[in-house]
Amino acid sequence: MLKNEIFYIGMATMVLIILLLILLGYLIIRKTLEIKKTRILDKIKEDYQTILFNYLNGGKLSRELQTDTGVKKKAVEQLLGKFSELLEEKQIDDRLTAFAEQHLGNLYKKRLRSRSWSIRMNTLSYIDDFRMKSLLPLIIENLESASSSNEEKTLALRILASFQEPKLIGYLNRFSFLSDSDYRNILLRLDQKLFDLCVLNYHNGHENMKYAILDAIGLKKDLAYSSFLNHIFNSSQGEEKIRSMKAIVNLGYIKDPEQFIPLAESGRWEERMIAARVFGIVRDSHFIPLLIGLLHDQNWWVRSEAAASLLFIPGGREILSDISKYDEDRFARDMAWEWLHKGVI
Amino acid sequence: MNIISILGVLLGWFLVAYMVLVIGFYTVILLISMLQLRRSYHLDSKKLHEEYAHEVYIKPISILVPAYNEEAGIIQSVRSLLSIQYPVFEVVVVNDGSTDETLEKMIEHYEMKPVEKVIRRTLNTEEVKTVYQSDILPHLFLIDKVNGGKADALNAGLNFSNYPYFCSLDGDSILESDAFIKVMKPILDSNGEVIASGGSIRIANGCEIRHGNILNIGLSDNPLVIMQTIEYLRAFLMGRIGLSRHNLLLIVSGAFGVFSKQWVFSAGGYLKDTVGEDMELVVRLHRLIKEKKSKEKIVYVPDPVCWTEVPEEAKYLRRQRRRWHQGLFESLSSHRELLFNPKYGSIGFVSIPYFWIIEFFGPVIEFCGYLYIIFSLFFGGIYLEFAILIFLLSCLYGSVFSMAAVLLEEWSLRKYPKVSDIIKLFLYSLTETLWFRPLTVIWRMEGIWNIIRGNSSWGEMKRKGVSE
């Protein structure tokens, strides 16, 4: 009986060892092939680098450059990727796009339908880099497809934005999975015309889209939207109101500062903080009493912002210095002291 | 049969059952990780991330570096931090009452000047003596405070920090330059639903590092370091990816993790007088999420790589393991009501039991296993069979899972450049059960012994500094 069991245990050990050896063999072969492949790829890249650069610069293409094999295509793809980052001249860009369309277009068509998620993702980001407009129909197909992941859709939307494709706005309003930063990234790529269209469609969008539009206006610092922002500010509440205020502050031009006065009494600290900042931007000494009030706020951010604003207003520095010495409120005193003695900001 | 032999057989069955349970658990985790990594196989993540490096609206982060007697490496680590790719960040070095030249070195090298700054004392800490700001690099700060331990230093740094997210870093770690962009991505993409994000840590011993940058990745020749490399691969690529997938992650490693400051404040900051303050904080955050019934998450990103120095001598490794085990116990016991508590869902039923049964009591049971094997040699018969079975199972655990982790590494990051590295990892992983595993088991048992005696001393660690 004992012999029998030792036999089984021996068998189990063998199986285990064979399993491990197979795994090891696989790993070694994989690594060897990969090292070899990388070496070949690097060699081709080295050879093609100057040829491709000369073509992009002067428009003349040497016959030595071919894209008949997979590895050559890969080399070209990586080189173009590098150039598209480094070179920003319009003419070079056009040549780069043309070259990519001609040599990689068909490959990318296939790859966009690949079953592997990562291949589709990589392809999308290269299409974006190379601005390959001919693939637009496939990208839209990908957007419409139920099986494509949210990450892919986000990338696809970015590409649509780069191409200034009007259909984009419909998609933006439809998809709600995009994060704030995705939205911003997309909106900031738009030209004036398409961005205006977004602003026109403001009220059809869902929350996140609205916030993103407001943020984007603030980042663009375009005064043309000043009255739009004021309108939103006066007609909205909550987060939307705060974002519109932030955008107004970012524009740096405040038409009617009086309307911010009630916010100094707001129940939300974010609103009080922005009010403090607005008063600082206006630099009007009749806001000083309000700022002194805000310097005694219970929220640290509000106090900090109020102190900073006081520092900018003529006569404010003296007031801060008085507060830092004589005020009864320790928190206000500390904050005033800190802003007066701040090192490099 | 007498009672003793019945007990012997029962113990044998128990040990085998335990090992099968452990192996079963890890197999499930391995499968989850494999699926996850296989999906992003060949994904060019560098390309996808470069977009973020230029974004102006990205959430700024404060990098906290607690330093206690780190004069050997502090200048290098700060330098590597200052060269990271991230739009807006500040570096806050907290000198926790060092007795060596840490403070002087920082002041001299970075031209630190005292600044007046009022610090919000959201968290209670030991007294802060002076705050310095660098004259040449305005986003570099140095806080000099009375010694209070690592958690206290981190809390002081948190009180001071200006930005909504923070990362705590050990003074002896080196970051890859795009690590922050990668680790912040889940936070940015989730609109704040992800409140903490941890990144993978790798071993710097054996790599060529100059001026705080990794030049060449290599595998050390020191057997202890190679075994630790295997352990780290297993822990990060297998364990954490698998656990993170279902929001079960209990450790965002202390050496590299980004947290939302607001959440950490509402959880009460780092807990003082614990050895494993990082794990304890993560458990507390999980708890807070469940108690608030909200759906925030803690995730793990496989690739942002932070390189850290591990002990090369048995003496220091032993101290480290002992300390880790004490830390584990402190975190688990201060949250013992989570165990099998339906209120905490999967954390209470999977993560916490896992840490109790496999991580904490594991060494005790494994130790019994070793004793069993030794005794069986004298008694033979059925005991010997159990012993062989136990030995085989632990080999399976040691070797197969280690190799699987190497496989995962090859599928995802491919950091080791040579074929010989893989062979080395393979051969060493075969020997794990014979020497390394028993050693760590004994060291961790010592940790348990310290807990029983009520000795919570740290044991000082020696560093040689990773960078040239």
Side-chain angles (χ1 to χ4, degrees), chain A residues 218 221 223 245-255 281-282:
Chain A
K221 296 193 192 298
L223 287 176
M245 285 165 71
K246 269 192 189 162
I248 292 173
V249 169
N250 278 345
L251 286 190
Y253 167 71
I254 288 139
K255 210 164 76 186
I281 293 173
V282 183

Side-chain angles (χ1 to χ4, degrees), chain A residues 59-281:
Chain A
K60 260 188 233 141
L61 185 60
S62 157
R63 270 169 209 278
E64 279 168 51
L65 199 154
Q66 284 174 338
T67 54
D68 48 347
T69 61
V71 62
K72 284 180 186 163
K73 283 201 169 82
K74 191 163 187 170
V76 168
E77 177 181 64
Q78 292 187 356
L79 285 173
L80 286 181
K82 202 170 88 189
F83 287 141
S84 75
E85 250 176 69
L86 299 173
L87 310 169
E88 284 195 352
E89 214 174 301
K90 170 91 176 59
Q91 210 181 8
I92 293 179
D93 274 349
D94 288 346
R95 278 195 207 112
L96 196 146
T97 305
F99 189 87
E101 297 263 15
Q102 192 192 338
H103 294 269
L104 301 170
N106 282 329
L107 178 70
Y108 283 3
K109 269 179 204 153
K110 235 184 283 164
R111 282 217 211 141
L112 279 177
R113 294 208 171 98
S114 161
R115 278 178 55 216
S116 149
W117 174 80
S118 358
I119 290 182
R120 294 196 305 268
M121 286 290 282
N122 288 345
T123 310
L124 281 170
S125 71
Y126 275 121
I127 294 176
D128 187 14
D129 282 359
F130 305 156
R131 286 164 277 264
M132 297 164 75
K133 231 172 172 168
S134 71
L135 294 167
L136 194 62
L138 270 176
I139 291 165
I140 289 178
E141 191 181 296
N142 196 313
L143 262 175
E144 295 282 355
S145 143
S147 60
S148 75
S149 66
N150 287 352
E151 287 104 324
E152 281 171 87
K153 290 201 169 94
T154 311
L155 263 182
L157 289 174
R158 273 196 212 166
I159 299 174
L160 256 52
S162 298
F163 293 164
Q164 311 300 336
E165 170 60 49
K167 278 184 191 162
L168 171 74
I169 296 170
Y171 289 119
L172 283 180
N173 287 332
R174 209 171 86 196
F175 298 136
S176 56
F177 55 80
L178 293 165
S179 71
D180 283 10
S181 63
D182 291 333
Y183 270 121
R184 269 194 303 272
N185 196 311
I186 290 168
L187 289 177
L188 289 177
R189 285 168 180 234
L190 299 182
D191 61 15
Q192 194 65 32
K193 208 173 104 201
L194 206 54
F195 189 75
D196 280 343
L197 204 59
C198 272
V199 177
L200 273 178
N201 268 295
Y202 180 85
H203 292 285
N204 299 331
H206 49 76
E207 269 185 354
N208 293 342
M209 172 79 175
K210 286 182 178 169
Y211 301 158
I213 292 177
L214 295 172
D215 288 349
I217 293 176
L219 283 173
K220 283 170 173 267
K221 296 193 192 298
D222 188 341
L223 287 176
Y225 299 105
S226 158
S227 58
F228 167 75
L229 288 179
N230 273 316
H231 166 70
I232 300 293
F233 168 69
N234 285 318
S235 62
S236 64
Q237 266 147 20
E239 183 65 23
E240 199 180 346
K241 192 180 187 100
I242 291 172
R243 299 261 183 151
S244 64
M245 285 165 71
K246 269 192 189 162
I248 292 173
V249 169
N250 278 345
L251 286 190
Y253 167 71
I254 288 139
K255 210 164 76 186
D256 182 14
E258 306 293 327
Q259 61 177 328
F260 286 90
I261 291 176
L263 290 180
E265 304 283 323
S266 159
R268 299 180 70 134
W269 68 265
E270 292 96 334
E271 297 189 351
R272 298 200 298 277
M273 177 183 87
I274 292 173
R277 192 177 297 171
V278 167
F279 302 149
I281 293 173

Side-chain angles (χ1 to χ4, degrees), chain B residues 73 107 141-142 202 265 267 319 341 345 350 356 420:
Chain B
I107 292 179
F141 297 92
L142 172 65
R202 288 305 182 75
F265 273 155
R319 280 186 195 166
N341 187 336
V350 183
W356 272 116
S420 64

